[in-house]
Each structure stands twice: as structure tokens, then as C-alpha cells.
Amino acid sequence: MEGRSIDVKGNKLYIEYENAFENKPTIVFLHDSLGCTQLWRDFPAKLGSALACNVLVYDRLGYGKSGVMTTHERAVNYMELEADLLNDLLCTLNVQDAVLFGHSDGGTIALIAASKYQENIQAVMCEAGHIFVEDITVKGVRDALEAYNTTNLGERLQKYHGDKVEMLFRAWTEIWLSEKFRNWNIEYLLKDITCPLLFIQGENDEYGTLDQLEKTLAQVSGISEQYIIPEIGHTPHKEVPELVLKRSIEFLQRQFNS
């Protein structure tokens, strides 16, 4: 897919958009807190090809090839704001039949978007998303910060984010480790999710317990399914991509054919 930058409400966002299939949904991929378009590798193309669907992958502001964040300081509701910007992006591209596949922060953003913008979203695949803060999540962020300060993690991230690495890493770690974020919770939004939902999580996720999955599925209003993968951590689509592809394809085929 060829990439380009577009302006969305004054934000310069890098997108890769393949829309060759008429009258077919667009699968939108939402990356994690350190991710970007490039780090999805061939996963989006494989899922889109298997289902003959259009594919949209983009870098959130401050990531990858998108514009720079204006500040590393994030509001407690930063993921709600990202869901609003996602909706603005979909409106800019006239995408009215989105299927969301979000990982980690991207999974949370997908859940929020599905609750707030029901008319434009057909289904959600949430992989290792969060609906509240857990001790294990805070520990995972602390461990990542320690790795950033003591290893070459920053240099490795520069390959994908360039000179934006310091800003995005501070933005992620400082909000999640702050006292003001400890009570962040989006459970109140879940009842408004009416589209089909597949929640994917590794049994050994180092950033969240299965409470995230179980409490999400217990509170959404639409059809919901779970896929818990034994002995897998926080990034199933990288650790066992073929398993995640297979289950995602089966899930979406059921929705498209129903």
C-alpha cells in the first residue's frame, strides 16, 4: 500500500489506504502505545486480502511518519480524544463502514470509538485493550521505562519514529505512571457498544489480566466473543500471527454473512 500524509482537523496524519473493493468494509488498524504503521508489517494486508476488504492503517499524531505532538503532557482522557480524531479521519476519507482492529492503546481507542460513533463502525477486534488501570499494567510500563533508560530500546524505536521517540515515550509513561490516571476507567461506555466484538488476549499478557477481557464482554450490548491464547503475551498478532488471522477471519466472515 502506498502511503501519504493528510490533514485531519489541523493534524498531519500519515496513512496507508487501500480502497480497491467497492461496497466492502474498510478494516482500520490502530497501533499500540509505541507502535506505528510500519510495525504492523504484513498483518493488515493479509487480513484485508483474505476477506477482500479495504484496509486503512495510520500513525497517530506523534508516531511514525505523522506530525509531532505539541507536548508530551497528556490529558487523562487522551484515548477518548484519539477516538474522536479517528472519527474525524474516517469522515475525511468518507469511510462509513469501518471494522476496527486495535492493539493495546489502539484496542481501547477502538472500544471508545465503537461506543461513541456506532453509525460508522460495523465490528471491533480488540487485542489486549484496557478499560481500567491495573497494577500489572503500571509494572509493565515501569519495566519498559527501565529498559528505555538502560538498554538501546530508544535507538531501536528511532528506526520507526525518528526524532519523535523521546516525546512519545514520555507521553506514554508519564500519564500511565501518574496518580491522576490511576482512576481512569471507560466501563461506563461499554453498554453503548452494539456492534459485534472479538476480544483477543494472551493468557500471559504482561500489561493486563483477563479481567480486562471478562469485564468488557460482560458489559457490551452487542454480540461478543473471546479468544484467549495460552502461553502468549501482550502482542498476539506478532507472537502467533497465523492464529490471530485465522480467528479474525472467521469472526468477520460470520458478521459479513449474517
Side-chain angles (χ1 to χ4, degrees), residues 39-253:
L39 281 165
W40 283 106
R41 298 188 172 87
D42 62 353
F43 187 87
K46 283 186 173 180
L47 186 57
S49 176
L51 294 160
C53 284
N54 302 306
V55 171
L56 170 62
V57 194
Y58 75 102
D59 295 335
R60 294 198 296 277
L61 190 69
Y63 291 82
K65 299 176 184 177
S66 286
V68 181
M69 297 177 189
T70 57
T71 174
H72 69 274
E73 295 181 356
R74 278 179 167 165
V76 170
N77 68 336
Y78 79 95
M79 284 185 279
E80 288 91 321
L81 299 176
E82 290 289 356
D84 295 338
L85 186 56
L86 166 61
N87 185 64
D88 291 335
L89 171 61
L90 296 179
C91 290
T92 299
L93 296 173
N94 196 32
V95 173
Q96 301 175 357
D97 52 0
V99 170
L100 306 182
F101 189 112
H103 172 236
S104 194
D105 267 21
T108 302
I109 294 164
L111 293 174
I112 298 168
S115 75
K116 295 181 68 174
Y117 303 104
Q118 302 170 0
E119 65 279 2
N120 289 338
I121 297 173
Q122 288 193 8
V124 170
M125 289 163 287
C126 175
E127 181 188 47
H130 298 90
I131 59 172
F132 52 83
V133 181
E134 295 182 286
D135 290 342
I136 189 175
T137 319
V138 174
K139 180 185 183 300
V141 175
R142 283 205 182 100
D143 289 347
L145 180 59
E146 176 69 14
Y148 185 77
N149 289 329
T150 59
T151 71
N152 69 341
L153 176 59
E155 293 177 17
R156 287 186 281 127
L157 289 171
Q158 283 180 0
K159 176 181 177 181
Y160 304 102
H161 305 290
D163 58 8
K164 297 187 283 289
V165 171
E166 179 72 20
M167 179 85 81
L168 73 86
F169 206 90
R170 285 190 68 186
W172 173 51
T173 56
E174 289 187 10
I175 189 62
W176 275 90
L177 297 179
S178 68
E179 280 302 313
K180 67 180 181 179
F181 200 68
R182 287 295 303 198
N183 293 324
W184 170 82
N185 188 307
I186 61 161
E187 288 182 88
Y188 71 99
L189 292 171
L190 298 178
K191 68 182 185 306
D192 296 323
I193 298 177
T194 57
C195 67
L197 166 67
L198 171 63
F199 201 123
I200 304 165
Q201 189 164 359
E203 193 174 44
N204 297 334
D205 190 334
E206 59 272 32
Y207 285 94
T209 72
L210 293 176
D211 276 355
Q212 303 286 347
L213 176 152
E214 291 165 358
K215 291 185 177 179
T216 298
L217 299 189
Q219 297 178 75
V220 297
S221 298
I223 298 168
S224 61
E225 301 181 16
Q226 66 181 41
Y227 185 33
I228 301 169
I229 311 176
E231 301 179 9
I232 295 301
H234 187 59
T235 54
H237 73 274
K238 289 184 179 178
E239 297 171 63
V240 283
E242 294 308 318
L243 290 181
V244 177
L245 277 170
K246 182 175 183 294
R247 185 58 181 266
S248 300
I249 291 165
E250 292 170 351
F251 169 72
L252 289 179
Q253 284 176 334

